[in-house]
Amino acid sequence: MESQAQNSEAVIDIRQVSTRFGDHVVHSGIDLEVRRAEIFAVIGGSGSGKSTLLREMILLQRPNEGSIRVLGVDLQSLGDEEALALRQRWGVMFQHGGLFGSLTVMENVGLPLREHTALGDRLIDEIAASKLAMTGLKPEVGAQYPSELSGGMMKRASLARALALDPELLFLDEPTAGLDPDSAAGVDELVLKLRDLFGLTIVMITHDLDLLWQVADRVAVLADGKVQGVGSMSELSRMDKPAIRQFFDGPRGRAAQQQDRLHAGLPESETIGEPSSKPK
């Protein structure tokens, strides 16, 4: 897809980040920049460090070396109060939802508002209901408990909670993992809608090739502790590094590219493995 990001301002600026667990090197001098109002994806094989990088961006972990700036704030020098204030400017949708099983969906979505604002219960419930509607959930879902939800509904409820405080920045951890194709496609459309309506900057960790082709403005590929390449999926498809080729070669990669061509109204490729010519 063509990027909607009109502002090149760096919302996230990662410089020379290195991370080690004992003798194991996870990241070695990583540099990345996420621009305002773009959908930026981080991909890589198992053990590539993409989830660790996400944890470092949301203050759940600190790198051994380097700097990470989010929304203009240096994460390495934050005190507790500053960290709390910064966390209220972003939302996080965790891979497995992260909803509290003892609370209804409405109570889960309203929880950040109860923790971080002085709003009354009635107004919080109204805001929570609007967030549920925004993510495509019916009003009656608010009275249900997480255990009663399907996988797709769980993802949407978790996203509604991530949006509760009207964040500037949204982090999505495997937003379509475990979903059937129809539910996954619904999440694709929702992510684009949220960015386009509210100008959100969205960072996602994913292995969903369809999501990458249909939604991501730029994608960073991690492997062997380093960034192997950054660009649109079309740009990456023309790179010949093995760590990048794995996302384009083979049945899954070719199928995702063919789907992207069909989505763009282009004829199916006659050459197996031909990269999409759709402009990014």
Side-chain angles (χ1 to χ4, degrees):
M1 61 160 296
E2 183 177 354
S3 172
Q4 300 295 315
Q6 301 298 319
N7 193 332
S8 61
E9 174 190 351
V11 173
I12 300 176
D13 190 22
I14 297 172
R15 291 286 173 256
Q16 290 298 295
V17 161
S18 296
T19 309
R20 297 180 297 275
F21 296 129
D23 295 331
H24 177 59
V25 177
V26 180
H27 304 137
S28 179
I30 284 181
D31 291 328
L32 281 176
E33 181 180 278
V34 180
R35 302 164 188 159
R36 183 167 298 281
E38 78 170 334
I39 299 175
F40 188 91
V42 180
I43 63 176
S46 178
S48 62
K50 57 187 183 297
S51 294
T52 298
L53 188 61
L54 174 63
R55 289 176 60 83
E56 290 171 346
M57 286 189 279
I58 61 175
L59 287 170
L60 293 181
Q61 188 172 319
R62 290 184 182 272
N64 296 95
E65 299 170 11
S67 68
I68 300 177
R69 297 182 67 85
V70 179
L71 296 168
V73 179
D74 184 355
L75 302 189
Q76 315 310 107
S77 59
L78 282 183
D80 290 343
E81 289 188 8
E82 295 169 310
L84 179 61
L86 184 60
R87 284 190 175 102
Q88 293 177 46
R89 298 175 64 190
W90 69 52
V92 183
M93 190 185 90
F94 294 101
Q95 179 176 354
H96 300 294
L99 301 179
F100 293 99
S102 61
L103 301 179
T104 66
V105 171
M106 180 80 80
E107 290 168 340
N108 267 286
V109 175
L111 189 60
L113 293 160
R114 288 189 167 85
E115 289 184 339
H116 301 299
T117 75
L119 299 176
D121 288 343
R122 182 175 178 178
L123 182 54
I124 288 175
D125 286 345
E126 290 176 359
I127 295 172
S130 73
K131 301 302 180 183
L132 289 172
M134 188 184 298
T135 57
L137 291 174
K138 296 179 179 179
E140 55 266 28
V141 174
Q144 295 182 284
Y145 287 87
S147 61
E148 300 175 87
L149 304 182
S150 67
M153 293 168 68
M154 179 78 79
K155 296 282 189 182
R156 289 172 182 269
S158 179
L159 183 55
R161 187 177 65 178
L163 295 169
L165 294 173
D166 295 326
E168 305 166 51
L169 174 59
L170 192 60
F171 293 98
L172 308 179
D173 185 11
E174 298 286 5
T176 58
L179 299 184
D180 61 77
D182 286 343
S183 296
V187 172
D188 295 358
E189 295 171 3
L190 180 57
V191 169
L192 282 173
K193 175 183 174 183
L194 291 172
R195 192 277 301 275
D196 294 343
L197 283 177
F198 304 108
L200 288 172
T201 304
I202 299 175
V203 177
M204 60 183 182
I205 306 296
T206 185
H207 66 274
D208 184 336
L209 295 176
D210 288 329
L211 179 66
L212 293 168
W213 276 105
Q214 302 301 332
V215 170
D217 294 314
R218 292 192 302 140
V219 179
V221 183
L222 298 187
D224 301 322
K226 297 182 179 295
V227 177
Q228 301 294 321
V230 180
S232 68
M233 288 295 281
S234 287
E235 290 166 343
L236 291 174
S237 74
R238 294 188 286 271
M239 299 181 185
D240 60 3
K241 291 184 179 180
I244 296 175
R245 292 309 319 160
Q246 65 175 311
F247 295 99
F248 301 94
D249 298 334
R252 289 181 66 245
R254 290 194 295 269
Q257 291 178 73
Q258 294 285 24
Q259 184 62 34
D260 181 65
R261 294 182 66 84
L262 294 173
H263 184 79
L266 299 174
E268 290 190 41
S269 169
E270 296 179 0
T271 303
I272 293 178
E274 178 185 342
S276 169
S277 60
K278 181 182 176 183
K280 291 279 184 174

